[in-house]
Amino acid sequence: MKRTSRLFTHSLFGPVLKILFREGKMPSLVNTEIEAAVKGFLIDQEKMTEVVERMTKEIKMGLAKDTHSRAVIKCFVSHVQDLPTGKERGKYLALDLGGSTFRVLLVNLLSVSDVEIVSKSFNFPVTLMSGSGKALFDFLAECLSEFCHYHGLQNESLPLGFTFSFPVQQQGLSKGILVAWTKGFSCEGVVGRNVVTLLQEAIDRRGDMKVNTVAILNDTVGTLMSCAFYHPNCRIGLIVGTGSNACYVEKTVNAECFEGYQTSPKPSMIINCEWGAFGDNGVLEFVRTTYDKIVDKVTPNPGKQTFEKCISGMYMGELVRLVVMDMVARDLMFHGTTSEKMQERWSFKSSYISDIESDAPGEYRSCNKVLSELGIVGCQEPDKEALRFICEAVSSRSAKLCACGLVTIINKMNINEVVIGIDGSVYRFHPKYHDMLQFHMKKLLKPGVKFELVVSEDGSGRGAALVAATAVQGKAKL
Ligand code: BGC
């Protein structure tokens, strides 16, 4: 789904949107006990302001040299200091690992209006997510080789940008140490290692292509760069997909963990916040529910990525499922029984939330489809209303927390106008996410601050190529 971007200021904001979201109002068909069960997800303005305050503190700790080691929001230095000029040219390869699919891309930057992208998605065997690091990187190299041979690129010395969407401590554009796995990955022997070396070694082991990994980047950075190629005022990159995170353009002098922060001739540095870890020190307990705690326990990284687990697509569906199962156990939904499928962990996909909320009020076409996929039969309108209500509770908390994060960053940057490049399945496919984000940001921002939320296309393609271009040009100058 492609969205057109819209620019809103406070004055343009009317009461219209208020009725779009059933803020605090309970639909009549929903049982009061169900209403009480989801109450924990409904965070009010006061709590949102508190989230912004707490997050501001954590971001400052991440940026400062003295506090960085104990900060939960790490604010990693990306080593990307140049936003695109629109003059970048050339042919680059890109790898994209970190979401629900693995992709290999060939990007040809011909002109600002002509960027050719050829890509292939590969089925990513789930067993690889928890296997050995060697198996993972051998698989990436194998897919890359297949792609290069298919397109006759095996003898070309092409630079490669590696979009690796996990928390990485970068020591340069082409050196990044994995700090922790997230989003269900747990491959052995990778944490603490330079992932560029691991990838390049796997490529070289094959000896059947001439690819050179010149840059590693986070998906948020690719998203920002890709958006900035067309929107010069883009200063923030956001992902709300399987995981969630944001990056932004900071003054180099504030990026204290960058060696040259006081001497660099370049005024800016993109900071990869890694905001998913916000709350890992307990400061977000006031917006978490008992269901969040259950989800957390069954993930491979309990106690970690607290903010992400409240926001992103990997977890939203499971949150809904847990609430529903609780309501069924209390005989408040589906006549107290449910399907085998619904009893399986992670069986309620987050995309179902988008589907269910796409139905017009009083209609249940998508909802019925979801219910039938889950093997739930014979439910009545109040059940469907309740399901929709639970979905809305989970998705609106996600959008509110995301709005808090963006407002924290905008306040920290102290700017009055900004474009935010966004990617990720939740933002793209949820029918109201964009509007909810916009609505809550408006409520939290200082009057007069203008922002534009823009879908950023091909962050891991065009964005990765732009970062690789920076790396290649940087080397040429040395
Ligand atoms: C990772 C981030 C990434 C985000 C979105 C998180 O789990 O830690 O590096 O940007 O997911 O993909």
Side-chain angles (χ1 to χ4, degrees):
M1 182 167 61
K2 198 168 174 169
R3 284 174 211 282
T4 48
S5 57
R6 279 158 283 176
L7 188 67
F8 275 86
T9 67
H10 276 249
S11 56
L12 285 173
F13 231 74
V16 190
L17 279 176
K18 278 191 187 138
I19 50 168
L20 276 178
F21 328 119
R22 294 192 261 188
E23 272 298 285
K25 272 187 228 146
M26 304 304 165
S28 55
L29 281 174
V30 175
N31 179 305
T32 50
E33 285 179 74
I34 299 179
E35 185 186 307
V38 303
K39 220 170 179 172
F41 289 101
L42 307 176
I43 50 177
D44 60 18
Q45 184 77 9
E46 202 181 315
K47 280 191 179 164
M48 286 168 75
T49 308
E50 186 60 38
V51 172
V52 171
E53 265 168 39
R54 292 183 185 199
M55 199 172 190
T56 305
K57 222 164 150 189
E58 303 288 340
I59 286 192
K60 285 184 182 160
M61 281 183 74
L63 281 173
K65 223 189 319 190
D66 288 353
T67 45
H68 176 82
S69 63
R70 59 193 156 89
V72 283
I73 303 185
K74 285 294 183 195
C75 289
F76 290 124
V77 168
S78 71
H79 290 264
V80 179
Q81 293 192 271
D82 300 299
L83 287 174
T85 56
K87 295 198 177 106
E88 294 78 7
R89 300 289 177 265
K91 224 168 158 186
Y92 301 88
L93 281 164
L95 292 191
D96 176 16
L97 178 74
S100 43
T101 49
F102 166 64
R103 292 193 309 153
V104 183
L105 306 98
L106 174 67
V107 185
N108 197 351
L109 304 171
L110 294 161
S111 75
V112 75
S113 57
D114 194 4
V115 178
E116 276 174 11
I117 303 184
V118 186
S119 73
K120 180 166 180 190
S121 294
F122 289 84
N123 272 337
F124 191 81
V126 271
T127 48
L128 277 186
M129 289 171 77
S130 53
S132 75
K134 183 171 177 294
L136 171 72
F137 286 98
D138 280 345
F139 174 78
L140 304 190
E142 186 188 327
C143 298
L144 179 63
S145 165
E146 187 190 312
F147 183 89
C148 284
H149 284 84
Y150 183 82
H151 292 285
L153 302 167
Q154 64 276 19
N155 296 320
E156 282 190 48
S157 303
L158 288 175
L160 179 139
F162 184 18
T163 306
F164 184 74
S165 307
F166 299 96
V168 163
Q169 174 109 50
Q170 280 190 236
Q171 293 167 359
L173 268 179
S174 60
K175 186 167 181 191
I177 313 291
L178 178 66
V179 173
W181 284 115
T182 59
K183 295 177 285 196
F185 279 73
S186 60
C187 308
E188 248 176 71
V190 189
V191 172
R193 309 276 309 272
N194 176 5
V195 283
V196 175
T197 307
L198 295 179
L199 174 66
Q200 193 61 47
E201 281 175 359
I203 294 173
D204 296 343
R205 258 197 303 278
R206 299 184 60 87
D208 62 352
M209 52 192 155
K210 291 189 174 162
V211 177
N212 188 16
T213 314
V214 296
I216 178 168
L217 62 143
N218 189 258
D219 50 355
T220 56
V221 176
T223 298
L224 192 162
M225 292 291 278
S226 180
C227 184
F229 195 57
Y230 297 118
H231 301 264
N233 209 15
C234 180
R235 293 287 179 278
I236 299 176
L238 167 71
I239 301 283
V240 203
T242 309
S244 179
N245 186 19
C247 72
Y248 73 101
V249 179
E250 180 56 275
K251 293 190 184 82
T252 307
V253 288
N254 293 338
E256 289 185 14
C257 296
F258 173 52
E259 246 187 45
Y261 78 102
Q262 285 168 317
T263 50
S264 169
K266 299 192 175 175
S268 309
M269 172 66 80
I270 299 184
I271 297 293
N272 167 21
C273 297
E274 286 296 336
W275 78 12
F278 179 34
D280 290 3
N281 52 357
V283 301
L284 272 183
E285 291 314 294
F286 71 110
V287 297
R288 293 180 79 215
T289 66
T290 47
Y291 306 107
D292 292 298
K293 290 171 194 167
I294 303 173
V295 168
D296 180 54
K297 279 208 183 97
V298 299
T299 59
N301 56 348
K304 303 282 179 213
Q305 298 296 102
T306 308
F307 193 56
E308 172 166 86
K309 286 174 185 170
C310 293
I311 289 183
S312 75
M314 174 139 189
Y315 310 97
M316 282 164 74
E318 180 63 4
L319 283 170
V320 168
R321 192 191 72 87
L322 286 171
V323 181
V324 172
M325 291 307 290
D326 190 16
M327 298 305 100
V328 171
R330 287 153 63 180
D331 202 8
L332 297 168
M333 278 176 80
F334 305 152
H335 305 295
T337 60
T338 185
S339 65
E340 250 175 56
K341 179 104 198 255
M342 189 71 183
Q343 289 171 47
E344 277 169 31
R345 256 181 215 155
W346 312 108
S347 60
F348 195 98
K349 298 184 234 165
S350 292
S351 60
Y352 290 163
I353 300 178
S354 299
D355 296 341
I356 288 168
E357 291 192 50
S358 297
D359 282 330
E363 277 179 22
Y364 306 101
R365 208 150 59 115
S366 302
C367 181
N368 288 339
K369 214 168 144 240
V370 168
L371 288 168
S372 119
E373 263 184 51
L374 287 168
I376 298 170
V377 285
C379 51
Q380 304 299 310
E381 195 173 349
D383 282 331
K384 296 176 193 174
E385 269 300 307
L387 181 57
R388 186 187 168 102
F389 183 65
I390 295 166
C391 289
E392 284 174 347
V394 171
S395 64
S396 67
R397 184 187 63 168
S398 161
K400 283 178 184 174
L401 291 176
C402 227
C404 291
L406 290 174
V407 167
T408 305
I409 292 175
I410 296 173
N411 291 347
K412 169 76 186 67
M413 292 169 88
N414 196 19
I415 42 175
N416 289 326
E417 206 164 331
V418 66
V419 172
I420 300 155
I422 315 183
D423 205 352
S425 50
V426 175
Y427 179 77
R428 276 176 185 268
F429 303 123
H430 189 283
K432 285 175 281 178
Y433 209 87
H434 171 94
D435 291 346
M436 290 196 283
L437 206 52
Q438 195 148 248
F439 176 74
H440 294 294
M441 284 176 72
K442 274 286 149 197
K443 276 189 13 185
L444 289 165
L445 278 169
K446 280 181 264 163
V449 177
K450 292 178 192 167
F451 65 91
E452 196 177 355
L453 305 176
V454 176
V455 169
S456 178
E457 306 283 347
D458 286 312
S460 46
R462 193 171 47 225
L466 289 166
V467 174
T470 311
V472 172
Q473 278 154 19
K475 276 207 185 117
K477 270 187 222 146
L478 288 175

